[in-house]
Amino acid sequence: MAQQERARRTRAAIVEAAAAEFARRGYAAASVNTILEGSNATKGAMYFHFQSKEDLARAVLSAALEKYVAITEKWKSSTRHPFDVIHGIIDDIARGFQDDVIVRAEFRLIVEPEFYSEVQNGGGRVWGTAGIELARRAQDMGDLDAEFGPEKFMRVLAASLAGQRYMADLVSDSSNLRALFEESLEIVLYAMATPQWLDHWRTEGWCALDVEGAETASDLTV
């Protein structure tokens, strides 16, 4: 059991070091030697767990997927208004970009030709699917304009968030990413939410960003 635990820790350290290298330099320029130095693992230990640099990158993508699943699961049972839940989800994602090298690496990897397919299968699909369901609930409640469907709402929102993240990368500053993500959501809602919901939101603002404080279903705006 002790040997298994050591192996698990070694693997986790290699994945973390690989994520740091991929996030910093991208896939093609990433150095296996730098990954080894960052993980304090031997080359033999690395190749025991991973067959290649691509195998390492896919392990990072898998770890990121687990984090996106955890974010959406955290908010899954919230009884807040769907737009408030979307706000909470994207704020957690922004925190991940700021604080978690695994999440940063995933964003860098999926723009590499070797991993284009992961755009459809990775973290974006997980939170995007949840977002579409939440937008559908908002539309059923009369708070998303009938002119716009849930899919269009999420497509425009996801594109805006990706643009904000990309620009933050260009200037090497993710410190205000949470505010930028919130800004994107608010602009999309100004365009697509109903006047009824917008009037309420202008008065009440966003709910506090914690799941525990969620309202009961009877408190939701309808």
Side-chain angles (χ1 to χ4, degrees):
M1 292 299 292
Q3 186 175 6
Q4 289 177 350
E5 179 61 18
R6 282 197 299 272
R8 185 195 67 78
R9 291 181 179 179
T10 298
R11 186 184 190 280
I14 295 170
V15 171
E16 188 86 5
E21 178 71 353
F22 293 139
R24 182 170 55 249
R25 303 184 63 188
Y27 177 73
S31 163
V32 172
N33 287 335
T34 301
I35 293 170
L36 287 173
E37 291 172 9
S39 65
N40 292 317
T42 65
K43 186 171 288 189
M46 189 190 77
Y47 284 111
F48 174 79
H49 293 284
F50 306 101
Q51 296 180 0
S52 62
K53 186 167 77 170
E54 181 178 343
D55 198 22
L56 255 177
R58 295 199 178 280
V60 171
L61 291 170
S62 179
L65 181 60
E66 291 177 4
K67 292 178 182 290
Y68 279 100
V69 169
I71 289 171
T72 55
E73 285 294 315
K74 167 186 170 182
W75 288 94
K76 187 175 182 179
S77 60
S78 174
T79 54
R80 291 180 175 182
H81 188 282
F83 291 154
D84 279 302
V85 178
I86 291 172
H87 180 238
I89 289 172
I90 68 170
D91 187 72
D92 278 356
I93 292 172
R95 289 172 188 261
F97 280 129
Q98 290 179 176
D99 304 332
D100 194 323
V101 70
I102 297 284
V103 176
R104 291 198 298 276
E106 189 253 10
F107 184 83
R108 187 71 183 269
L109 285 169
I110 61 174
V111 300
E112 303 267 4
E114 294 87 347
F115 306 105
Y116 282 164
S117 63
E118 300 301 327
V119 174
Q120 299 296 326
N121 302 315
R125 177 186 59 80
V126 171
W127 87 266
T129 300
I132 289 172
E133 178 57 33
L134 288 162
R136 185 172 292 116
R137 284 175 49 199
Q139 191 164 57
D140 290 343
M141 296 163 72
D143 292 334
L144 180 64
D145 196 306
E147 181 181 352
F148 307 102
E151 290 80 8
K152 181 180 287 188
F153 172 85
M154 279 306 300
R155 187 165 59 248
V156 174
L157 177 59
S160 180
L161 298 181
Q164 296 278 32
R165 175 62 186 137
Y166 180 69
M167 292 303 298
D169 260 2
L170 285 181
V171 299
S172 301
D173 181 13
S174 296
S175 60
N176 64 340
L177 197 60
R178 293 173 65 194
L180 293 174
F181 273 24
E182 183 176 81
E183 177 182 80
S184 287
L185 175 60
E186 290 175 356
I187 289 171
V188 173
L189 287 170
Y190 271 119
M192 298 189 187
T194 60
Q196 166 192 317
W197 183 84
L198 287 169
D199 287 344
H200 176 82
W201 174 73
R202 288 189 185 102
T203 301
E204 301 295 329
W206 293 113
C207 291
L209 286 165
D210 61 273
V211 178
E212 291 74 17
E215 303 96 330
T216 63
S218 62
D219 293 327
L220 293 176
T221 306
V222 295

